[in-house]
Amino acid sequence: MLTGGVINPNSMDRHVEVLPDLAALVDRSLELVLEKLNDAIAHRSIATIALSGGSTPKPLYEKLAEQDLPWDQLHVFWGDERYVPPTHEDSNYRMARLAWLDKVPIPAKNIHPMLTNEADPAIAAQSHEADIQTFFQIEPGEFPAFDVILLGIGDDAHTASLFPGTDALKVRERLITVGNKDGQPRITFTAPLINHARTVLFMVAGENKQHALSQIFAPDADAMNYPSRLIQPQGELWWLLDQSAGKNFS
Ligand code: 6PG
């Protein structure tokens, strides 16, 4: 049994905030993301962020498009990707480009999509892993620290494309692996890569996420069934919940 760690919201680097509604959650997320990106740029002259897909973060991306950031010092990655062309309506890359990246003067070289043009998704995963190793100038076996990794959860407590009961949950030595959603391949950050982040920020909205949250925050539950339990970063962990998702935690 993979239990994963317990989120103690009162510890120094573990935070759970319940916001009145989605708009407030998005505003708080924007505030935190800007704080972490600007801090990274101030200290290291570069900031790295990995985006989540789905619907919750889209209004955040739209607000980021209104910001005046040093775009040449920001590098954008994705924490997971559906295995579809970049023009497909399900593409996380496409969603973020339309909501944010096509609206700001970020250099093309600063945008690092998970490519989905290989017949074999495992080859695509290996290729993206090599790209990340090159970018961070690390050796195989080393893990880079992204400044911010944005995540959501599904009703089944998956995060990124780490789905319950899948082999992707057991991968420990890789940065990138192949996820599996009901037989559909995904490319995803592994739990160890996510856990090396400086800041992990979950955005969770909607009554349909209540059960998943109760199991993620439970003292002991099997992370194989509730994969978000695996996310215990060495850095800061933020859970931003709207009232409908987090009313049992406020
Ligand atoms: C994806 C996401 C996925 C998402 C959750 C929540 O590729 O779909 O990365 O992990 O964050 O499924 O999605 P919603 O925000 O739409 O509820």
Side-chain angles (χ1 to χ4, degrees):
M1 173 166 156
L2 276 169
T3 55
V6 176
I7 295 128
N8 171 0
N10 302 315
S11 68
M12 284 297 286
D13 55 2
R14 295 295 185 264
H15 311 268
V16 178
E17 294 185 7
V18 180
L19 289 307
D21 53 28
L22 177 59
L25 188 159
V26 169
D27 288 344
R28 181 67 175 124
S29 301
L30 178 66
E31 185 180 37
L32 275 172
V33 167
L34 291 176
E35 175 194 322
K36 302 306 179 187
L37 294 181
N38 284 318
D39 181 68
I41 289 165
H43 286 93
R44 293 178 292 279
S45 301
I46 187 172
T48 54
I49 185 170
L51 306 182
S52 71
S55 57
T56 307
K58 186 176 176 186
L60 168 63
Y61 301 158
E62 290 166 343
K63 284 187 176 287
L64 283 165
E66 299 163 3
Q67 304 305 312
D68 182 17
L69 284 169
W71 300 109
D72 59 332
Q73 292 173 278
L74 175 64
H75 285 261
V76 179
F77 298 76
W78 278 258
D80 75 317
E81 186 56 273
R82 292 84 180 275
Y83 212 69
V84 295
T87 52
H88 192 282
E89 64 178 3
D90 290 347
S91 166
N92 290 337
Y93 166 79
R94 177 178 179 272
M95 184 272 274
R97 289 219 66 137
L98 293 177
W100 172 18
L101 300 174
D102 286 352
K103 301 174 182 173
V104 297
I106 185 169
K109 66 177 178 54
N110 290 26
I111 299 174
H112 308 267
M114 292 175 157
L115 299 182
T116 57
N117 53 355
E118 295 283 351
D120 180 355
I123 301 295
Q126 290 164 11
S127 170
H128 195 57
E129 177 157 321
D131 291 345
I132 290 178
Q133 288 165 337
T134 301
F135 177 82
F136 284 98
Q137 298 178 347
I138 56 175
E139 296 301 319
E142 293 182 300
F143 287 84
F146 280 83
D147 292 302
V148 178
I149 297 181
L150 296 177
L151 295 173
I153 66 168
D155 304 5
D156 59 0
H158 83 261
T159 191
S161 282
L162 301 170
F163 288 92
T166 61
D167 292 342
L169 303 184
K170 301 171 188 169
V171 177
R172 289 291 174 272
E173 290 74 39
R174 307 300 302 271
L175 306 181
I176 308 294
T177 194
V178 177
N180 180 322
K181 178 180 184 178
D182 305 331
Q184 295 304 311
R186 301 279 192 93
I187 307 294
T188 186
F189 278 14
T190 60
L193 175 55
I194 296 170
N195 285 335
H196 277 77
R198 291 189 175 88
T199 297
V200 172
L201 169 54
F202 279 94
M203 297 175 69
V204 184
E207 200 156 4
N208 59 313
K209 306 292 174 75
Q210 280 182 12
H211 173 68
L213 284 171
S214 69
Q215 296 304 309
I216 292 163
F217 289 3
D220 56 4
D222 188 349
M224 281 299 287
N225 297 327
Y226 304 101
S228 295
R229 291 177 64 84
L230 294 172
I231 308 309
Q232 299 297 333
Q234 61 186 21
E236 297 183 15
L237 174 58
W238 290 82
W239 285 87
L240 298 185
L241 318 175
D242 76 348
Q243 181 62 26
S244 54
K247 67 181 180 182
N248 297 329
F249 302 99
S250 53

